[in-house]
């Protein structure tokens, strides 16, 4: 699981983050997602979620969202956190189980076009 060292911010404030992940087939039922957040200054923003395929092969992920709370995200240094989460449904109620997390500093660049 990794998040790319750069992300983008469009003129309307939409943040795009990406990276790669690999996970093996799970023993329990339930979907797996790649969730991501970005922290710029003191505010952490959730940036979308992508359904993951756990087949042992490396896949790319891209999450995109426009933060609506707090200060808008601007180009510059930020912290990204990407997490691979399994929603285990064996008990009937989906229980999140973190498989792996990657957190590090990135550079948010202005989106092209």
């Amino acid at each position: 699981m990794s998040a790319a060292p750069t992300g983008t911010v469009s003129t309307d404030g939409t943040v795009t983050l990406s990276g790669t992940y690999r996970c093996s087939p799970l023993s329990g039922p339930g979907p797996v997602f790649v969730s991501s957040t970005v922290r710029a200054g003191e505010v952490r923003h959730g940036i979308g979620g992508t359904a993951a395929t756990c087949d042992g092969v490396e896949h790319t992920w891209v999450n995109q969202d426009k933060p609506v709370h707090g200060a808008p995200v601007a180009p510059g240094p930020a912290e990204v956190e990407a997490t691979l989460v399994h929603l285990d449904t064996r008990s009937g109620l989906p229980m999140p189980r973190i498989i792996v997390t990657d957190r590090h500093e990135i550079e948010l660049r202005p989106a092209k076009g």
Side-chain angles (χ1 to χ4, degrees):
M1 168 97 230
S2 68
T6 61
T8 63
V9 180
S10 67
T11 56
D12 74 353
T14 299
V15 176
T16 302
L17 303 171
S18 63
T20 61
Y21 71 91
R22 177 190 323 253
C23 54
S24 298
L26 302 171
S27 59
V32 176
F33 295 96
V34 177
S35 67
S36 59
T37 64
V38 65
R39 183 180 58 81
E42 297 300 314
V43 180
R44 184 172 296 279
H45 301 279
I47 306 297
T50 301
T53 301
C54 290
D55 58 5
V57 176
E58 185 173 88
H59 297 274
T60 59
W61 61 270
V62 176
N63 288 347
Q64 190 174 57
D65 208 351
K66 182 177 177 180
V68 293
H69 300 313
V73 177
E79 180 184 79
V80 67
E81 180 175 299
T83 304
L84 198 59
V85 180
H86 175 217
L87 292 181
D88 191 337
T89 58
R90 283 182 284 195
S91 69
L93 179 64
M95 299 299 292
R97 185 176 62 83
I98 294 174
I99 298 171
V100 65
T101 297
D102 178 34
R103 180 185 304 155
H104 57 87
E105 296 297 315
I106 65 167
E107 183 72 22
L108 291 174
R109 298 180 176 161
K112 295 179 181 176

